[in-house]
Amino acid sequence: MTTLVLTVIGGDRSGIVSSLADVVARHDGNWDRSQIAELAGAFAGIIIVSVPADRTAALRADLEALPDLTLAIHEADAAAVDEPTDHLSVELLGNDRPGLVKELTAVFAAHGLSIEQFESGSFDAPMAGGRLFEALLVVPIGPDADLDALRADLERLALELMVDIAVRAQDD
């Protein structure tokens, strides 16, 4: 089996997921995992599918022929597929301001950690005025990760930016 990572974007409309799933199924593929959202009127998705190796080219062609969607199709690194690992969940809440995401993600980059999942949004602060920013990050951690140093750097960042940051181990 070949594992493919699909990134899909297009104007949001009903039936997009169904048409993608139909193409995958027609090629004896399996829809393994996905993250899909409507953002600013656009459909945006990342989908992992596995397909028999001899059906990969035909699947690619049929996916690329879907109307009104922009797709990028990448073959997954076989070593990374289903690689078991521990994860940290990191939640941030604070006043929204330019550069917040840059400063937060720089901490993980400095520790050589990759961000597996990142969800964020901003909203009007109740009663206080202004905008609040919230983020949830899921970060895989290996046995060599220095969690004490990471936590210390995140705590230092929280103080500098005057935001709340909560870090906890995530059960798989």
Side-chain angles (χ1 to χ4, degrees), residues 3 5 33 48 75-85 87 116 140:
T3 300
V5 179
R33 186 172 163 206
I48 299 173
E75 192 165 326
D77 177 6
V81 175
D82 294 327
E83 182 178 292
T85 186
H87 292 81
E116 184 174 283

Side-chain angles (χ1 to χ4, degrees), residues 94-158:
N95 289 324
D96 193 12
R97 67 175 192 71
L100 188 59
V101 172
K102 175 191 161 298
E103 293 179 49
L104 176 63
T105 57
V107 172
F108 297 101
H111 285 269
L113 297 172
S114 189
I115 297 169
E116 184 174 283
Q117 182 180 343
F118 183 94
E119 295 179 29
S120 65
S122 61
F123 55 93
D124 289 330
M127 303 189 342
R131 303 275 298 163
L132 290 177
F133 179 81
E134 65 180 346
L136 170 65
L137 294 83
V138 176
V139 180
I141 52 170
D144 298 334
D146 186 345
L147 296 182
D148 291 334
L150 175 64
R151 286 179 193 273
D153 287 347
L154 288 170
E155 288 171 6
R156 192 170 17 263
L157 180 67

Side-chain angles (χ1 to χ4, degrees), residues 14-105:
S14 65
I16 293 175
V17 175
S18 180
S19 62
L20 290 163
D22 179 58
V23 172
V24 171
R26 269 189 281 143
H27 294 281
D28 298 322
N30 188 54
W31 188 293
D32 296 330
R33 186 172 163 206
S34 61
Q35 290 187 0
I36 296 170
E38 180 276 326
L39 298 168
F43 172 91
I46 301 173
I47 305 158
I48 299 173
V49 301
S50 52
V51 64
D54 63 336
R55 306 292 303 266
T56 302
L59 173 65
R60 283 177 181 261
D62 285 355
L63 286 168
E64 290 169 350
L66 289 171
D68 303 322
L69 294 175
T70 302
L71 280 95
I73 303 171
H74 304 276
E75 192 165 326
D77 177 6
V81 175
D82 294 327
E83 182 178 292
T85 186
D86 292 326
H87 292 81
L88 286 180
S89 174
V90 179
E91 298 175 31
L92 177 141
L93 178 63
N95 289 324
D96 193 12
R97 67 175 192 71
L100 188 59
V101 172
K102 175 191 161 298
E103 293 179 49
L104 176 63
T105 57

